[in-house]
Amino acid sequence: MDQMNKRVYIKTVGCQMNVLDSEMVIADLKRHGYTVVDTPKEADCIFYNTCSVREHAEEKIYSALGKIRQTKEQQPDKLIGVMGCMAQKDQEIVFKRAPYVDMVIGPGQLHRVPDLIEKVRAGEGRQMAVSLKRNEGTQAVIARSHETFDPLRDPSMRPTPFQAYLRIQIGCDKFCTYCVVPNTRGPEQGRPPEQIVSEAQILAEQGCREITLLGQTVNSYKFKNEDGSTTDMADLLEQLQPIEGLERIKFVTNYPKDMTERLLCTIRDLPKVSPYLHVPAQSGSDAVLKRMKRGYTVADYMEMFERIERILPEAAISSDFIVGFSGETEEDFQKTIKLVERCRFKNSFIFQYSVRPGTKAADRLPDDIAREVKVRRNNELLAVQDAIAKEDNQKLIGQTVDVLVEGPSKKGLKSPEGAVVQMTGRTHCDRIVVFDGNRRQAGQFMKIHVDDCSSHTLVGRVETVDVVTIGGLA
Ligand code: SAH
Ligand code: SF4
Ligand code: F3S
């Protein structure tokens, strides 16, 4: 294969897991001589890294596939691959709906991408790789997360060169009734702590100042070591804290039942660990939580919440909610509003329930809330959450916050090189801050005086330039 066959385009949708998977696939392909291009038009291989969490996410990909059908007919040598969660969930359906797709590759088989391309090019026909089984699948997954795959990182694919995701856990065993993730990502498996630590060291050496540890229920992380001992999330954070060059450690997503006293005390005692906890509640009604099979009641959630408030009073807590889940009454919904009012989350991601084939809810619970009702509840909850966030952000006006500067904001991107531009960054608590600065500040820690805010953003100005200060809990 000559160089001309090796231009790759990748489109990534979905969660941080997919962003990380794409980074790794690209690192692997580059090692095989590929270069990345910005448009499908320039590419020899076009990949979609897909998400199945809601129907809408899938429809967007099928529509993108529809749009490149003609291109593929005119240039049959252009290879098209569908990878990630929708590849796993739909498998043969992808080929049925888009027969010109050449490869369907599930999240457990991404280390085989270069090999699968070769097979298609060698005339072996279209390829499907979707194994996720605990044994055989584990081998693949472990192989991928071991020497062969995970350490291969590609800084150019990251959101910024100084921030990186680091997978500590694969899959999910919780099987919430609405959720497709256990089907698409397979069983929960913790990665060995020594691999995680060495990968974090590599990232720090590459210039990463912030890492975000990823897992579907990240705080449930456990690994059974060869000597019989167990490493949990608190142990892991302790092992990551000393890594030189690393300044901030964040982690998503937390499962409410596993937010232990010990873990919270560890977060409190380790200065690099961000006092930012994303702990989705999903609903404020016990009846709904039960149908969702979340494994906790509102009282359990509140007990956890109060534990966080007691041990980490300055922490920012955020949540996810699903509105319009099967059987959600107006009364149930009002209970969700109450929970948001009580917890005053930093922010909440709100989703309208979307039936996912293959889940328990799809099989057993009717999708009985009208679309208009879902939309109305979504907007109502969002309005309550946004008002709270704005009020709480206003309390930060006049204070100074420590910001890791990420780069020009969307607005700043338009300004010419060298000009004063609007820059954006985040506090230790993950609050977004914008201020007037310059592009060279990206990657630095800066003290920003907060002058104004909206519900999602703090607006400030540079106070002093200070290389690395840890602390300042805003
Ligand atoms: N593992 C994480 C979340 C993974 S999915 C956790 O357990 O919190 C991200 C969010 O998408 C979920 O928190 C949930 O709010 C939402 N979600 C998942 N399945 C959904 C569905 N079928 N319809 C609507 N929203 C859904
Ligand atoms: Fe889905 Fe529940 Fe697992 Fe989160 S914990 S990924 S919502 S099954
Ligand atoms: Fe979507 Fe898969 Fe993430 S379904 S949310 S890309 S784990």
Side-chain angles (χ1 to χ4, degrees), residues 206-226:
Q206 289 179 348
C208 271
R209 310 194 80 180
E210 177 182 284
I211 54 169
T212 302
L213 309 176
L214 297 185
Q216 294 299 343
T217 52
V218 74
N219 57 333
S220 320
Y221 170 85
K222 272 198 176 56
F223 186 82
K224 201 146 180 64
N225 298 298
E226 268 168 25

Side-chain angles (χ1 to χ4, degrees), residues 171-182 216-217 255 282 294:
C172 180
D173 282 344
K174 296 288 189 287
F175 286 95
C176 303
T177 56
Y178 52 81
C179 185
V180 77
V181 172
Q216 294 299 343
T217 52
Y255 182 63
Q282 310 294 2
R294 281 291 285 178

Side-chain angles (χ1 to χ4, degrees), residues 393-401 403 427 433-434 447-453 457-461 463 474:
N393 278 348
Q394 276 165 347
K395 292 177 195 152
L396 294 168
I397 292 176
Q399 292 190 25
T400 297
V401 292
V403 173
T427 68
V433 183
V434 297
K447 287 194 182 297
I448 303 293
H449 184 272
V450 181
D451 291 320
D452 198 1
C453 71
T457 315
L458 302 175
V459 184
R461 62 192 136 91
E463 196 159 274

Side-chain angles (χ1 to χ4, degrees), residues 60-170:
K60 275 210 306 224
I61 294 297
Y62 279 116
S63 137
L65 285 172
K67 281 192 194 129
I68 53 164
R69 173 185 208 130
Q70 224 183 0
T71 314
K72 175 72 176 174
E73 277 164 8
Q74 288 158 358
Q75 297 162 268
D77 288 345
K78 250 188 213 277
L79 299 193
I80 301 175
V82 174
M83 57 172 78
C85 289
M86 192 183 87
Q88 190 65 37
K89 171 178 154 286
D90 281 1
Q91 305 191 359
E92 282 292 341
I93 299 173
V94 178
F95 289 140
K96 281 208 188 94
R97 287 186 67 172
Y100 43 91
V101 166
D102 299 288
M103 292 162 278
V104 170
I105 312 156
Q109 298 292 319
L110 295 178
H111 58 294
R112 293 181 54 201
V113 170
D115 175 44
L116 294 168
I117 296 175
E118 291 297 323
K119 283 188 183 226
V120 178
R121 292 228 204 264
E124 291 184 34
R126 61 193 188 191
Q127 300 290 315
M128 181 152 80
V130 288
S131 174
L132 265 184
K133 287 191 205 95
R134 197 178 269 272
N135 284 326
E136 188 225 347
T138 304
Q139 295 312 320
V141 168
I142 296 287
R144 155 178 165 216
S145 51
H146 269 239
E147 306 78 42
T148 51
F149 202 63
D150 260 3
L152 286 175
R153 304 290 308 244
D154 189 277
S156 70
M157 289 296 292
R158 287 181 202 145
T160 74
F162 39 84
Q163 292 171 301
Y165 295 125
L166 204 176
R167 190 181 342 253
I168 69 166
Q169 188 188 53
I170 296 154

Side-chain angles (χ1 to χ4, degrees), residues 34-50:
Y34 287 77
T35 52
V36 181
V37 293
D38 295 330
T39 60
K41 212 171 159 194
E42 304 161 77
D44 305 301
C45 303
I46 302 170
F47 284 105
Y48 295 95
N49 195 0
T50 62

Side-chain angles (χ1 to χ4, degrees), residues 13-15 17-18 50-53 85 180-181 184-185 216:
V13 298
C15 66
M17 286 284 181
N18 269 11
T50 62
C51 172
S52 271
V53 81
C85 289
V180 77
V181 172
T184 63
R185 293 271 165 177
Q216 294 299 343

